[in-house]
Amino acid sequence: MSKADPLSTYRSKRNFSLTSEPPEGGAANEQAPSFVIQKHWASRLHYDLRLEIDGSMKSWAVPKGPSFDPADKRMAVHVEDHPISYNTFEGVIPPKQYGAGKVIIWDKGTWKPLGDAAKAYREGRLKFELHGHKLHGKWALIRMKSRTEKQDPWLLIKEKDEFVRPASEFSVVDEMPDSVAGIQNKEVAESITKLPVNFSPELATLVDAPQTEADAWLYEIKFDGYRLLARIENNGVQLITRNGNDWTDKLTSLAKDLTKMKLPDGWYDGEIVVLDDRGIPDFQALQGAFDRNKTSNIVYYLFDLPFCDGHDLRKLPLTERREKLRTLVTDEGRKSSKQRKADIPGSIRFSDTFDVAARDIVASACRMGLEGVIGKKKASPYVSRRSADWIKLKCTLRQEFVIGGYTDPQGSREGIGSLLLGVHDAHGALHYAGNVGTGFNASSLNDIKQKLSALHSADRPFVESTGIDKKAHWVKPTLLAEVSFGQWTDTGRVRHSVFHGLRTDKPASAIIRETSMSTPATRKTHTVRKAEHTDGSPDNSIDRSAGNESLLSKMKITHPERVIDTSTATTKIQLIRYYALVAPLMLEHLKGRPVSLLRAPEGVNGTMFFQKHLETRKMTGVRLLSQELDPDHEPLMEVANAQGLLSAAQMNVIEFHTWNAIKTSIGKPDRMTFDLDPGEGVEWPAMQEAALVIRAFLAELELTSFVKTSGGKGLHVVVPLKRRHDWDTVKDFSQAVVVHVAKILPKRFAAKSGPRNRVGKIFIDYLRNGFGATTVAAWSARARPGMGVSVPVSWEEVEKLKNSAQWHVGNIHERLDRGNDPWRKYSVASQTLTRAMKMLKA
């Protein structure tokens, strides 16, 4: 009797002349069977887990996706087998086809059954290990007994091992939402990896105390030097800075020493320094070595090995990468690995770690006059971005500043008196951060003066006054100073500053105020990963593929378990995680705008209040704007970065409302908003029709408009404007539009607010266009049962919307693949009202 075709059900459900899904194919691998998880936007978003067993992919649909928390027993509905070739499928299944919707490869790799896979599958108790890009460790699929389900219900459960993480701390589907299609499986990568031409290093995150999990971390000296990567191929050496500049010609002696070692092809990561008589790194001496073109005394400390000998080692734990590096660059390591003996030049050294308590290491480093220490998580992979798995603890506050000017010397001093320092904000504006006048020697004073004279500028580079503008000589803001200092003042100035040297290895545009994160050592509350904008992420989508900056790292959260919305059981930690997820999208609508925050300490059913001004208790990432913007009131606020979203949510903020103008041109709005607010008895189809009517009328006035859900009951129609008209002009025009529409269609629209005026009608709220008025921002959650979200949509989608709260905190994943794309032409659609005003009066 012939064996049943495991793919017959799969093929019977699909028309392969219409869908690009593969009908069959794919090579089995009994030694290293494959697994894949595909994120599938079908009628409902879900995750398809597929395990290679007996020549096909056994498949389960997991609605909520996997969790690293063993307490989360995720429903996994058993579905038809798929061909092995389906593992590479990404694309869109056409409408009206089975499973219509977008599919991405969310994770992939190999899996290892813990026992007989086929037998365990038949018995409904399958335990296994996953070796993927996102999922690791031991898992279980357990079949449930059910007589009512059409498809077998199973549970996907994380088994207890070293990879377990509480759901309150980490959500893999939230924090790692994107495709891994372009990433090779580990087994394949190790055999075909080519050495990348370009490579970016992993960067450490500044913290204020060591981690509490001491056994999970190792600590090294924080070298006071320049980060340097060595790319070695066919014994040819290139020396590359952290920003991709080739310094091989500047470091010929070091390049020759590396060549002598005959190291395997690879990327070697480390730091170059010049040591003083005590063996302590001296940054000014390093700078002087470059200035005098005498770099032969530079020492290269190596501490990581992301690529080596045809292998991509980035996915390996740090400890394994370091051990491989140790066998290559130390005498002891070469001897133990039985490598051919070769002298190791004194300029090449291995960065040792310290097996003592972290606090003792920091204290010792500070007593010795070192800059600080670097902590690294032993099990961490190598990532080309700033990571919370590498932390830096400094003996004093210290960072780079942009030099924007200088003062004249006093008394017998030559060269300069002090340097005027600055840091950039999230939008690239340079802010004055104080002066530094100590730490110089006679040689450095004259050298710096020559460099600054060549950069003379007539204009102040800082956005605000320094208080000593009349004494200052301005320069183009391109030169950097390394400065240590005692503290930041409340006004954003540094105190007790000391100059350590000039830097040339970083671009001035990258210099921002460096702030430390609290760590578990200094708190007893919950931790969650904190959102930060990803470098290079497009405006219209969340792009967090491999190598991009993660949106989440650690921050202090109080009462994470508190329920905000009882109707959905949404907790505070879930709301914060939501804002971390949408931060790159939402900041496009927040940046540069004064903001009002709706706080709900008791949740959506309790007392709420608007906060328009920053209180004494600060929110990191939420900053004060100039009081000149609204002289009659306290300074306004701006959410400057993703940290601001999370800090606000930690302070019980649910809604974010923005002005119709940006801070640099507060007197002239850059948009006009019509808020369609339904009165009692108005059904949703009437709202959809009303929005289309408003769009059509604005089009007759030759005005382009965009639309978004309010997240509550209404819709917002937004007209982007050139900053030509004042507030009164825009408000008066918007009122004229509303009055005109209400006059033409009096049974549908009301031009007056108040419940009595709009029973059975839609009030078109034009009052949002007055000075100081606000509208809820796109991607803001709403403080009402259900936790709806205001989402940009296209006009073509309006008729398909089910309601204004179609997307909410609980299902926002279903919309993130569209992101801001429906508004992609918004930035080029700015227009004036001059012609429209004439047409309306005609």
Side-chain angles (χ1 to χ4, degrees):
M1 183 175 179
S2 62
K3 187 178 180 180
D5 181 2
L7 300 179
S8 59
T9 302
Y10 167 81
R11 284 193 288 265
S12 69
K13 293 183 175 183
R14 291 163 175 81
N15 183 343
F16 295 105
S17 66
L18 297 176
T19 181
S20 58
E21 298 165 280
E24 57 188 359
N29 187 341
E30 295 182 1
Q31 299 301 316
S34 60
F35 89 90
V36 69
I37 298 181
Q38 281 151 320
K39 189 174 179 180
H40 189 178
W41 286 266
S43 56
R44 290 182 179 273
L45 175 69
H46 63 275
Y47 297 78
D48 292 312
L49 167 63
R50 312 191 197 282
L51 302 176
E52 180 188 337
I53 301 177
D54 287 345
S56 66
M57 301 302 292
K58 306 300 180 186
S59 300
W60 293 262
V62 185
K64 292 186 177 181
S67 168
F68 277 99
D69 191 337
D72 288 342
K73 296 174 174 58
R74 293 292 167 85
M75 177 68 71
V77 180
H78 189 246
V79 297
E80 73 276 9
D81 288 10
H82 284 54
I84 294 175
S85 58
Y86 206 93
N87 293 2
T88 62
F89 175 70
E90 272 199 337
V92 178
I93 301 173
K96 299 183 179 180
Q97 294 300 298
Y98 179 74
K102 180 180 175 181
V103 176
I104 66 169
I105 299 172
W106 182 79
D107 197 15
K108 64 178 182 177
T110 61
W111 73 287
K112 178 183 177 182
L114 302 178
D116 186 321
K119 180 181 177 183
Y121 170 71
R122 290 193 301 270
E123 295 177 351
R125 195 170 184 83
L126 182 59
K127 295 192 175 185
F128 51 93
E129 290 182 1
L130 292 180
H131 304 281
H133 298 286
K134 300 176 183 177
L135 300 188
H136 309 279
K138 297 177 182 179
W139 299 76
L141 277 164
I142 309 298
R143 184 168 56 219
M144 301 168 64
K145 294 181 180 180
S146 174
R147 297 179 180 178
T148 59
E149 299 289 341
K150 294 181 180 179
Q151 297 166 302
D152 293 340
W154 295 55
L155 294 177
L156 175 64
I157 306 170
K158 180 72 187 76
E159 298 276 271
K160 292 183 178 179
D161 59 17
E162 66 271 27
F163 295 102
V164 163
R165 297 184 70 177
S168 60
E169 175 186 308
F170 177 72
S171 168
V172 67
V173 294
D174 286 334
E175 302 188 22
M176 307 178 80
D178 297 309
S179 171
V180 297
I183 305 174
Q184 295 285 348
N185 290 342
K186 179 182 174 184
E187 288 78 8
V188 176
E190 288 185 344
S191 63
I192 65 171
T193 297
K194 293 183 178 180
L195 190 65
V197 175
N198 301 304
F199 186 69
S200 297
E202 181 163 359
L203 304 176
T205 300
L206 180 65
V207 298
D208 53 16
Q211 299 289 337
T212 54
E213 301 170 350
D215 292 341
W217 293 78
L218 55 80
Y219 291 87
E220 307 170 56
I221 289 174
K222 186 180 189 304
F223 296 105
D224 194 2
Y226 287 151
R227 187 71 171 275
L228 195 74
L229 295 159
R231 185 183 188 275
I232 298 177
E233 187 171 29
N234 299 324
N235 211 35
V237 175
Q238 284 181 286
L239 299 174
I240 310 296
T241 70
R242 58 177 278 185
N243 290 303
N245 298 316
D246 192 330
W247 278 15
T248 311
D249 290 342
K250 294 183 178 183
L251 296 162
T252 54
S253 180
L254 181 59
K256 289 178 181 178
D257 286 347
L258 286 167
T259 302
K260 292 176 185 177
M261 294 182 66
K262 298 183 179 179
L263 293 167
D265 291 359
W267 278 96
Y268 296 74
D269 192 0
E271 186 112 352
I272 55 173
V273 299
V274 170
L275 303 176
D276 64 16
D277 295 339
R278 301 170 298 156
I280 303 298
D282 184 334
F283 185 78
Q284 285 204 43
L286 177 64
Q287 180 67 53
F290 281 102
D291 290 343
R292 297 188 302 273
N293 198 25
K294 295 181 179 180
T295 59
S296 58
N297 60 338
I298 284 177
V299 176
Y300 191 18
Y301 280 95
L302 291 164
F303 45 67
D304 213 322
L305 184 62
F307 289 87
C308 183
D309 201 15
H311 298 283
D312 182 349
L313 308 184
R314 290 175 297 175
K315 294 295 180 182
L316 296 180
L318 169 70
T319 50
E320 292 187 31
R321 300 193 308 272
R322 281 182 54 84
E323 179 58 25
K324 177 63 176 176
L325 179 62
R326 189 185 68 81
T327 65
L328 297 174
V329 298
T330 67
D331 288 328
E332 181 184 5
R334 288 188 169 211
K335 183 178 180 180
S336 65
S337 62
K338 298 182 180 180
Q339 294 191 55
R340 181 170 58 84
K341 183 68 174 177
D343 291 335
I344 298 177
S347 62
I348 312 297
R349 304 185 188 183
F350 181 62
S351 175
D352 280 320
T353 60
F354 303 93
D355 190 19
V356 294
R359 290 188 179 277
D360 293 339
I361 298 170
V362 176
S364 296
C366 295
R367 283 196 300 268
M368 293 172 62
L370 295 169
E371 187 183 354
V373 300
I374 295 287
K376 298 176 181 178
K377 205 167 188 177
K378 294 177 181 178
S380 64
Y382 192 104
V383 293
S384 293
R385 55 175 169 82
R386 193 170 299 282
S387 168
D389 289 336
W390 287 20
I391 60 174
K392 51 186 174 182
L393 297 116
K394 295 185 177 183
C395 294
T396 60
L397 294 174
R398 177 167 169 158
Q399 71 164 77
E400 303 86 9
F401 291 87
V402 181
I403 301 174
Y406 63 95
T407 62
D408 290 326
Q410 300 293 318
S412 61
R413 188 169 182 169
E414 296 182 354
I416 62 170
S418 65
L419 298 175
L420 279 61
L421 309 174
V423 290
H424 291 98
D425 64 19
H427 307 295
L430 186 65
H431 293 270
Y432 177 59
N435 293 21
V436 60
T438 60
F440 303 99
N441 55 43
S443 175
S444 63
L445 284 169
N446 291 322
D447 177 64
I448 292 170
K449 176 61 182 300
Q450 291 181 4
K451 288 182 169 64
L452 293 175
S453 296
L455 296 172
H456 176 74
S457 173
D459 301 319
R460 185 185 70 204
F462 306 115
V463 295
E464 63 275 277
S465 171
T466 65
I468 54 170
D469 287 6
K470 293 182 179 180
K471 298 180 180 180
H473 301 279
W474 306 124
V475 298
K476 296 176 182 177
T478 59
L479 202 59
L480 305 183
E482 177 93 5
V483 176
S484 63
F485 53 98
Q487 67 180 116
W488 285 97
T489 69
D490 291 341
T491 57
R493 307 289 192 266
V494 293
R495 295 186 64 194
H496 310 305
S497 54
V498 179
F499 175 80
H500 288 273
L502 299 178
R503 295 199 76 109
T504 57
D505 60 329
K506 299 180 182 182
S509 59
I511 303 305
I512 60 174
R513 176 172 170 174
E514 196 173 308
T515 57
S516 65
M517 299 189 309
S518 59
T519 65
T522 58
R523 63 180 187 272
K524 296 181 181 180
T525 47
H526 184 77
T527 60
V528 64
R529 291 182 179 264
K530 170 191 70 179
E532 293 180 5
H533 201 291
T534 52
D535 293 336
S537 179
D539 294 345
N540 63 348
S541 67
I542 293 183
D543 178 9
R544 277 166 293 183
S545 54
N548 279 351
E549 179 98 30
S550 168
L551 286 181
L552 305 169
S553 72
K554 291 182 180 179
M555 66 172 289
K556 180 178 178 180
I557 302 295
T558 58
H559 307 297
E561 75 292 340
R562 184 168 58 81
V563 176
I564 296 173
D565 175 24
T566 56
S567 69
T568 59
T570 301
T571 60
K572 181 177 180 180
I573 187 64
Q574 289 173 320
L575 180 65
I576 292 174
R577 185 171 288 143
Y578 163 77
Y579 278 122
L581 188 65
V582 302
L585 299 175
M586 192 170 177
L587 287 171
E588 292 302 312
H589 303 270
L590 289 174
K591 63 182 182 182
R593 295 186 185 277
V595 65
S596 294
L597 308 175
L598 182 63
R599 294 174 63 176
E602 302 169 0
V604 302
N605 295 316
T607 303
M608 304 181 199
F609 60 94
F610 268 105
Q611 179 180 341
K612 296 185 178 182
H613 311 289
L614 199 60
E615 297 175 345
T616 311
R617 194 174 187 178
K618 292 185 177 180
M619 303 179 200
T620 304
V622 178
R623 65 184 173 200
L624 291 175
L625 296 177
S626 170
Q627 192 161 359
E628 296 177 1
L629 300 182
D630 190 9
D632 297 331
H633 299 89
E634 293 295 314
L636 300 168
M637 298 180 292
E638 174 197 8
V639 177
N641 51 42
Q643 174 68 64
L645 280 172
L646 303 191
S647 298
Q650 151 62 17
M651 296 298 293
N652 304 309
V653 172
I654 295 181
E655 297 185 5
F656 296 80
H657 294 244
T658 56
W659 286 40
N660 278 351
I662 59 175
K663 62 185 180 182
T664 54
S665 185
I666 200 68
K668 295 183 178 180
D670 67 343
R671 70 185 182 200
M672 177 172 60
T673 302
F674 297 94
D675 180 2
L676 277 62
D677 192 0
E680 182 181 348
V682 176
E683 300 294 332
W684 178 247
M687 292 296 298
Q688 294 167 292
E689 184 181 36
L692 296 173
V693 168
I694 297 299
R695 181 203 186 192
F697 183 68
L698 291 172
E700 287 187 14
L701 297 177
E702 300 181 4
L703 293 175
T704 299
S705 60
F706 296 80
V707 63
K708 67 183 180 76
T709 65
S710 71
K713 296 180 180 180
L715 291 166
H716 295 159
V717 178
V718 182
V719 179
L721 301 176
K722 292 183 177 179
R723 295 188 287 272
R724 302 281 178 82
H725 312 285
D726 59 24
W727 287 95
D728 289 341
T729 301
V730 173
K731 183 180 177 181
D732 290 347
F733 175 78
S734 65
Q735 181 180 14
V737 169
V738 172
V739 170
H740 186 86
V741 172
K743 184 176 181 180
I744 296 175
L745 300 169
K747 293 184 178 181
R748 296 189 188 182
F749 298 105
K752 294 183 179 181
S753 61
R756 295 182 180 179
N757 297 320
R758 48 178 168 159
V759 175
K761 299 181 181 181
I762 298 168
F763 172 54
I764 311 174
D765 188 354
Y766 61 87
L767 301 173
R768 308 282 181 177
N769 298 307
F771 180 84
T774 60
T775 306
V776 72
W779 302 105
S780 174
R782 301 307 304 270
R784 57 187 69 193
M787 300 290 287
V789 173
S790 178
V791 174
V793 296
S794 67
W795 282 111
E796 291 71 26
E797 291 180 290
V798 169
E799 292 182 289
K800 302 175 185 177
L801 294 175
K802 298 175 183 178
N803 53 61
S804 185
Q806 178 169 330
W807 295 287
H808 48 79
V809 169
N811 72 353
I812 199 63
H813 285 277
E814 298 176 7
R815 186 63 181 181
L816 294 184
D817 65 318
R818 290 296 311 276
N820 287 325
D821 188 63
W823 282 28
R824 63 185 179 278
K825 296 183 180 179
Y826 183 94
S827 62
V828 296
S830 298
Q831 55 221 301
T832 68
L833 296 177
T834 306
R835 179 171 172 79
M837 288 189 288
K838 293 179 179 178
M839 295 173 69
L840 188 60
K841 290 178 181 179

